[in-house]
Amino acid sequence: FGSRTEQLIHWIMRLLSLYELFITTFISSFDAVYPLRRTPMVILMDAAQTALFALGVAAQFRTTFVSTRNCVEVKDLELIKRELLSQWRTWCDFAALVSAPLLYIRGWGSLVCLLRLLKCWRLPRDERREKLQSRVGTDTGQQLATIAVGIFVATHL
């Protein structure tokens, strides 16, 4: 079930979401100490990450996937579009993309940039997806990474 392209997009989007979790909390936390929001390298990296994530969201509308509702691979482009637009996850991705430039606004309005973190719905493991793709098991490295991310977020927010 599911194409290799869909699996690749899924993992790239998860990695981009993890990067987003780190960079957004880091910039939001330490911008008062060092003006990270005005650093060209940070702006360039953020623009590249946002563009890559936008390409991934767009690619999902042209890539088959396994519906977790009825365990069937969806191949028809119109059905893919309808299915994706009916999911709250897709709308979280859209909100995260729209709020991307808000990281560079100063003051209380900059807190709206935390909507960028809506893409982090991708980080928890989707057990049903993994069962459908026959990859069930315990990944110790992933569990340790989850703990490290939790500690990082707890100490930086």
Side-chain angles (χ1 to χ4, degrees), residues 2-12 59 62-64:
S3 65
R4 292 270 181 212
T5 305
E6 188 274 337
Q7 292 174 17
L8 180 64
I9 291 170
H10 173 77
W11 282 103
I12 289 173
R62 312 262 323 143
T63 309
T64 66

Side-chain angles (χ1 to χ4, degrees), residues 30-103:
F30 294 107
D31 188 59
V33 178
Y34 183 77
L36 293 169
R37 293 179 186 172
R38 288 175 268 154
T39 306
M41 185 54 113
V42 170
I43 294 170
L44 182 65
M45 292 285 293
D46 187 49
Q49 183 268 345
T50 301
L52 194 55
F53 190 81
L55 284 173
V57 170
Q60 287 178 324
F61 284 90
R62 312 262 323 143
T63 309
T64 66
F65 68 94
V66 176
S67 173
T68 55
R69 271 191 249 159
N70 54 11
C71 303
V72 175
E73 185 175 13
V74 180
K75 296 180 180 181
D76 179 50
L77 290 179
E78 189 58 38
L79 192 56
I80 290 171
K81 178 181 173 184
R82 199 172 332 127
E83 183 83 20
L84 286 174
L85 289 176
S86 69
Q87 295 177 2
W88 63 269
R89 296 170 180 167
T90 304
W91 293 101
C92 285
D93 288 341
F94 289 155
L97 284 170
V98 168
S99 64
L102 300 177
L103 180 63

